Amino acid sequence: MNEPLEDIVFITKPIEKDLQDIKSWCEDYNYSNAESAFKRNNLFVIHYLDKAIAFLCYRREKIVATIDFAEVQSIFRNMQVGGYMLESTLKHFKRTRIKIAELYCTSIKSHRHAKRHGFIPIKKAHDDKKWMFRPLVETRKPRKNSKVLFAIWKNTMGSYDQKPDVSWALDQDLEHPIIAYCYGDWTVGIIDNGNVVKETVFKRFFKGIEYDYVYIVGNKINE
């Protein structure tokens, strides 16, 4: 592996000159990703000697940010530029109150790279891509037993006749949020003293939800 590249700078508000730098070394198809993200104000770049040598495209839906594409100029690869860009991106997300970052991997190499940076593989029920996600805050650990539980059943029948696939306490460990991937048609509910007191599919339980994740702070269920 080459030595880490020094004196690089993470830029959250690129300018037109950065696009021209990217265009000089990036293939046309990939450049279009950068150009579109720039127009939406969803582009980060890495500067070296005041020139853009890497970029990352993303989009945001409330507390979830999706990393859509990233590229490093070929002569600067294997110099830890990509890792620096990813970690800088995640820190920026966290500062701007994003709670969850997600991406999908197009190769074994990118999967390994994301895993080294704390991303967890998930299988989205409605998508064949190899998705991964990373909570940007410390999360509540799942529990099977507690007086009051929030639970997920990974089925699309609105049925809870079996034990939940995963659950968390709503009466303890409240200092950390519950964060978990959940397909919109999976069943979710509240278990009180062993009895399911309220259940329905995820997209109805959390009305108006626009992302595939449960996010619960304390014991407040925002329906």
Side-chain angles (χ1 to χ4, degrees):
M1 179 179 290
N2 295 332
E3 291 296 319
L5 189 66
E6 298 181 352
D7 300 322
I8 55 177
V9 182
F10 178 68
I11 305 296
T12 60
K13 295 182 179 180
I15 60 176
E16 287 283 352
K17 178 185 178 301
D18 296 318
L19 272 186
Q20 295 307 309
D21 289 342
I22 292 168
K23 191 172 186 179
S24 70
W25 54 262
C26 187
E27 293 183 5
D28 290 343
Y29 175 78
N30 294 340
Y31 171 73
S32 68
N33 291 323
E35 186 177 38
S36 296
F38 177 78
K39 291 177 181 178
R40 301 191 309 270
N41 295 316
N42 289 342
L43 180 72
F44 298 148
V45 302
I46 296 293
H47 276 187
Y48 176 64
L49 300 179
D50 293 324
K51 291 186 177 182
I53 64 165
F55 69 91
L56 181 147
C57 310
Y58 74 97
R59 53 196 156 91
R60 177 175 183 171
E61 189 60 61
K62 296 183 179 178
I63 64 166
V64 179
T66 303
I67 298 171
D68 287 317
F69 189 82
E71 186 169 358
V72 177
Q73 188 176 353
S74 59
I75 61 174
F76 296 107
R77 291 171 190 167
N78 299 317
M79 294 183 180
Q80 301 182 26
V81 175
Y84 172 79
M85 181 166 63
L86 180 55
E87 280 301 318
S88 298
T89 294
L90 296 177
K91 288 176 182 177
H92 180 79
F93 285 167
K94 189 172 182 178
R95 286 195 299 269
T96 55
R97 299 185 180 181
I98 291 171
K99 307 301 182 184
I100 301 161
E102 66 171 15
L103 52 78
Y104 70 88
C105 297
T106 56
S107 68
I108 294 175
K109 184 177 180 180
S110 61
H111 182 277
R112 289 174 179 168
H113 179 72
K115 193 172 182 180
R116 284 198 300 270
H117 289 272
F119 281 82
I120 304 164
I122 52 174
K123 171 61 178 173
K124 290 198 175 187
H126 59 301
D127 197 326
D128 291 333
K129 296 174 182 174
K130 296 179 180 179
W131 284 93
M132 303 181 79
F133 88 107
R134 174 177 157 176
L136 300 180
V137 294
E138 189 174 349
T139 61
R140 197 175 314 177
K141 304 300 182 184
R143 283 177 173 265
K144 293 182 179 180
N145 299 300
S146 197
K147 181 178 182 297
V148 185
L149 295 165
F150 176 82
I152 296 176
W153 291 263
K154 295 181 181 180
N155 63 60
T156 58
M157 302 300 293
S159 172
Y160 53 90
D161 294 335
Q162 56 193 5
K163 291 183 178 180
D165 290 278
V166 62
S167 59
W168 298 262
L170 289 176
D171 55 349
Q172 53 187 311
D173 303 331
L174 302 184
E175 66 272 20
H176 300 126
I178 298 170
I179 294 179
Y181 167 71
C182 190
Y183 178 48
D185 288 332
W186 284 351
T187 305
V188 300
I190 298 174
I191 301 172
D192 192 340
N193 283 318
N195 299 310
V196 178
V197 296
K198 187 166 188 177
E199 62 78 34
T200 188
V201 293
F202 173 60
K203 63 187 177 185
R204 292 179 189 150
F205 195 96
F206 294 91
K207 297 174 183 176
I209 197 75
E210 297 178 21
Y211 43 82
D212 296 332
Y213 297 92
V214 171
Y215 177 70
I216 298 173
V217 177
N219 59 4
K220 304 298 183 182
I221 307 294
N222 298 317
E223 300 180 37

